[in-house]
Amino acid sequence: MTTDPGTLYVVATPIGNLDDISARARDVLQKAVVVAAEDTRRAGQLLTHLGLKNRLLSLHEHNEKSRVDEVLTMLLSGDDVALISDAGTPLISDPGYRVVERVRAEALPVSPIPGCCAAIAALSVSGLPTDRFRFEGFLPARPVARRNRLKALSDVTETLILYESVHRVAELLADLEAILGAQRPITLARELTKRYETIYRGTVTEVREQLEADPGGGKGEFTLVIAGVSEQQSATTHELERIVTILLQSVSASQAASLAAEITGVKKREAYRLATELKERD
Ligand code: SAM
C-alpha cells in the first residue's frame, strides 16, 4: 500500500498583533506534524500563544538548501509540514522559496494559508494607486548599490513597495529626496497592527520631517509605499536620457544639460544630474 503524501502548507502568521492569526492557520498548525520555521524560538512563542506544541524544524536562509531533502522525506512519508517565517507571509522577503520550488518540482501538494503581509497591509492604507504595484522588498544595504537601484526605479509608473530596517530608514528617505525628488508622494507605515502603529503620509520631505519630529519615529518596523510617476513623465525621462546620451558624444555634461533642457522642457538641474550620471556610467 502506498501512503498519500503530506501537504506543505505555507502559513502566514501575524506581523505584530497576534490576534491576526487566522482560524485556518491555527487549524493547520495544530495538525501539522512538523512546523518548519525561520527562527524556532520565535515560532515556539507563537505556538505557545496558540496552545500548541509541534515539532519544530529550523529553516532559514543559511540552511534552506540542506533542509529541502528532510522536508521532502517527511512529505513522502505522509506527514504534513507547515512552513512559517518570523512574521507575515513566508517567501515574501523571507526564506522558503527553495523548499516550495523543490516540493512543486516533485509534484507534491503545496497549499497556501494566506494572511498578513506588511507590503499589502501598507499598500491598502497608503492612499496611493493600488491597481498596479511593484514589490521591491529590501533595497541593497550598501549606499552606492542602493542609490543605483533607486535611480533604476525612479521612472517606474507603478506604485512601489519597499521594506526597510529601522537603521536605514532615515538614509533611505534622504536618498529618495535626492533621487526621486522632494515632492514625490509617499506613505511610510510604521509598526503596523502594533501598539504604536503610525502612518506618515505626504511628500518625501514632509514624511521625513514628520518622522524626525516624532519621538517614537526612530523605532520599529517600516514599510514604504511610493507613488509611481505618470506615463507622460516616464516617457519624458526616457526621451531626456536618449537626447543627453547623444549630446554627450560631442559636448560637455553642462552643455548637454542646457541643450537637453531646452529641447525637452525639463529643468536644467535635472538634465545636468542625468548628464553627470550618464558620464560616470561610461
Ligand atoms: N514576510 C513578511 C511579510 O509578509 O510582510 C516580511 C518579512 S521582512 C524580513 C520584514 C520587513 O517587513 C520589516 O523589516 C519591515 O520592513 C516589514 N514589516 C514587517 N512587519 C511590519 C510591521 N508591523 N509594520 C511595518 N512594516 C513591517
Side-chain angles (χ1 to χ4, degrees), residues 105-250:
E106 300 291 332
L108 294 171
V110 182
S111 181
I113 307 296
C116 297
C117 176
I120 298 299
L123 176 68
S124 71
V125 294
S126 67
L128 295 170
T130 54
D131 51 344
R132 288 165 64 238
F133 60 88
R134 181 157 157 176
F135 174 67
E136 283 285 326
F138 291 97
L139 295 185
R142 289 187 27 245
V144 174
R146 184 176 63 238
R147 285 173 203 144
N148 285 339
R149 189 80 201 110
L150 269 181
K151 281 173 197 160
L153 294 170
S154 62
D155 65 345
V156 162
T157 54
E158 298 99 337
T159 299
L160 279 171
I161 309 175
L162 303 180
Y163 285 156
E164 191 49 280
S165 93
V166 63
H167 313 292
R168 276 189 291 271
V169 75
E171 274 176 59
L172 176 63
L173 289 174
D175 285 347
L176 288 183
E177 220 167 6
I179 295 162
L180 305 191
Q183 296 306 315
R184 182 77 73 101
I186 61 170
T187 297
L188 183 63
R190 173 175 159 257
E191 293 286 85
L192 289 173
T193 79
K194 302 188 206 177
R195 182 163 173 205
Y196 294 108
E197 174 180 288
T198 318
I199 295 160
Y200 310 91
R201 175 84 174 91
T203 63
V204 175
T205 302
E206 286 164 353
V207 168
R208 185 179 53 70
E209 287 168 357
Q210 287 167 39
L211 191 70
E212 281 167 10
D214 184 342
K219 292 190 205 114
E221 297 198 272
F222 293 85
T223 297
L224 183 63
V225 188
I226 305 169
V229 297
S230 68
E231 296 283 351
Q232 194 195 348
Q233 210 176 328
S234 174
T236 309
T237 309
H238 280 120
E239 184 59 359
L240 178 68
E241 186 162 337
R242 194 181 71 81
I243 292 169
V244 172
T245 306
I246 295 169
L247 289 170
L248 280 176
Q249 289 167 11
S250 328

Side-chain angles (χ1 to χ4, degrees), residues 3-26:
T3 324
D4 283 339
T7 298
L8 173 68
Y9 290 101
V10 179
V11 184
T13 59
I15 55 168
N17 189 326
L18 293 181
D19 287 343
D20 287 337
I21 191 91
S22 74
R24 264 188 92 213
R26 191 185 289 258

